[in-house]
Amino acid sequence: MSITHSYTRLVAVAAGVTVAFALVLATSAPVRAAALTSTQVSAIVSLLQSFGADAATIANVQASLTGGTPSTPTTGGSAMCNASVWTRDLTDGSTGADVMALQKFLNMSAATQIAATGAGSPGLETSYFGPATRAAVVKFQTANGITPAAGYVGPITRTAIAAKCGTTPTTPGTPTTPTTPTTPTGLEGGEGQFVDIDNLSAEVEDEVNEGNEENVFGVELDAEDSDLSIERVDVDFTLEDADSALSDNLDDYITEVSLILDGKTLATLDVDEADINDAGDGDFTAAANEQDVYSFRFTGLNGVVREGDTGKIYVAVKAVGNIDSTDSAADWYVLIPDDGIRAVDAAGISETYVGEADLDEENFSVVEADAGDIDLAAPQADNEDRILSLNADTTTDNVEIMVFTLESQTSDNNVTEIEIDLATTSATTTLFSSVISQLKLYQGSTLLATEDVSINATDPSGTVLFDNLDVDINEDEEVEFTVKADFYDDADEREGFSFKATVDASQIEAEDSEGDDITVTGDVDGADLELRTTGISVSFVSASEERSVATIAGSADTADLEIVFDIMAVGDDDIYVEGDLATQGIIPAVGVDGLMWATTTNSTSDTGTSTTLTPTLSATGDASTDDTSGSDQDFFIESGETRRFTFRVSIPAGTDNSSIGARITGIKWGTTDADDNMNNLYDFDLDDYKTDTLTGLYIR
């Protein structure tokens, strides 16, 4: 771990600088080299450096003491830099006269000096932008409040340099006031750091199917004492071992690499943006070190981990669409190398993270996709079990009954046939051909085909085939299809009719761009659908449970349970919902008084209780027409309106270590405020209408 502070060090003693000027100014001719030994010269230079003398002064003194010709001291910065030189961005690997001018500018101050001796030192500047130049730029950026301090000379840094060149500098050797660090925007806290850095091995994949994108490396780190902004991340890839049968070109395996922080993609690089380094540059295994390393540098990220939070960084790769069968046996190592993460805290201190002991490499391979070039799937949110509300005494058209997707995995493909299967979900003698007149297939909002529904009279189930289709699906493209139905107006036939639509992948015909047949994988079950002209539609809202521990000897713990749901009156008629409550544990049945409920979430039996319970049912909204007294209670819902209902019950433990919960099993309703014998029972898709089970309730 290395730390770069964003402030310059004050020169506490100016006397040494004064001595330096005296040596230079008093010397009108070069001092003979033999006058002082090299050790003595080095001692004087070191003394000047310790006093904080600027680089130009040190260079002049060194030249004078070794027989060289010192340059004439100047009182302005323009002699040392010319802002018009820098007209382009500079970074690692840049070369040219502007790089040398940059080094000379940085060497004007001991705080940003490239090197004390050798290449890059004052008087020995080079035209190559390497690690030492980048480090000096980082120091300059940090001292001048430039964030991120990444060592990249862009427009902001060039403007700051120009400002320095255009102002009159202080007299050489005069101590300067350090720059106050600039707090990075949006960060709170003080000086902080990342701690507890570790791999997320269990959350990454070691196989990536061709054409897919997967996380192949992960690291978690905790932000301590400050918010931390991640500015730069390095990622290295290398082939596991040398094998002449395997390609060692990364672009034969993946097309791009993405960096993700807590679910948000910070940056994506194409594979051809990698730097290819010599073998051994990464902290990989011995076998891996024999191979070249592909290095990606993600910069300008500004991904923030808040103080006290744990950030999760993932490296994701997008696999090529068609992996060579031989290359699918190759393993690639991936690693964030030493000092591979740079982050800045709220105090403006920039720090690098990850050492050899922090992280282990992960390995992955790109494999041929599982059988099939097209994947069939269904969006769950678009295929929820539900009531379909139909118009009374008229046809109802274009009712959505199913949504599914087809995604091409390895090539451009063309779909020619799709078969939709229909099946009833409750006992009935009604045929589909008496209820549904047509099915329509849409691609997005475009109608592809319409087919009549004609089902075998001896079998209420059947199929509808959409043929002669011509749907192109490009490689890696996903296309959404919607199935809609037109319903007849015969209310007697369709009322309460329950069914579902399905798609079997084996009944989809498709071919690739070469005209060869391809295989489609996956099967899709649509939603359970119930047709209603008049009735109720019920929606789950919430469920909660609370334990009340008994405090009196001999008394029982109690489970206080609540289930909330909405009921809408479907159709043209007003609805009355049963307000009475059945005995606990009742099995749904028509002709039985009360809303149906059970005292456990796993059965309809009355397990673990022995006390007669008194549940309650209440509703929001206008209660003026409700009947909530006597033995025939009900709630009124006007046609098209919705009311929210809350069921509550408190259940005491019947034995030690009882397990108690509650569920709704059926809702009775009618179209008149009649009597206890409302013969309409809603028991459709009530699996979620339940509380969690409270365990370990005792008699104290």
Side-chain angles (χ1 to χ4, degrees), residues 41-93:
V41 172
S42 297
I44 294 173
V45 170
S46 297
L47 177 63
L48 292 173
Q49 290 173 334
S50 68
F51 286 157
D54 63 79
T57 299
I58 294 174
N60 281 336
V61 171
Q62 189 171 14
S64 296
L65 297 179
T66 56
T69 302
S71 60
T72 302
T74 63
T75 58
S78 59
M80 298 299 294
C81 68
N82 181 357
S84 63
V85 172
W86 298 288
T87 60
R88 60 169 180 150
D89 295 344
L90 300 175
T91 187
D92 286 333

Side-chain angles (χ1 to χ4, degrees), residues 470-526:
D470 184 20
V471 179
D472 290 325
I473 306 178
N474 297 328
E475 182 178 356
D476 298 328
E477 180 186 14
E478 182 181 79
V479 174
E480 183 174 273
F481 297 87
T482 303
V483 181
K484 297 184 178 182
D486 293 347
F487 293 92
Y488 287 117
D489 60 357
D490 190 334
D492 291 336
E493 292 286 353
R494 67 191 185 183
E495 191 71 20
F497 186 80
S498 300
F499 73 100
K500 69 165 40 179
T502 62
V503 181
D504 186 337
S506 65
Q507 302 301 320
I508 297 177
E509 299 290 336
E511 58 186 29
D512 61 21
S513 56
E514 301 297 324
D516 297 326
D517 292 339
I518 63 172
T519 302
V520 180
T521 58
D523 296 304
V524 167
D525 279 338

Side-chain angles (χ1 to χ4, degrees), residues 26 62 127 341 597 619:
Q62 189 171 14
S127 60
I341 299 175
W597 66 283

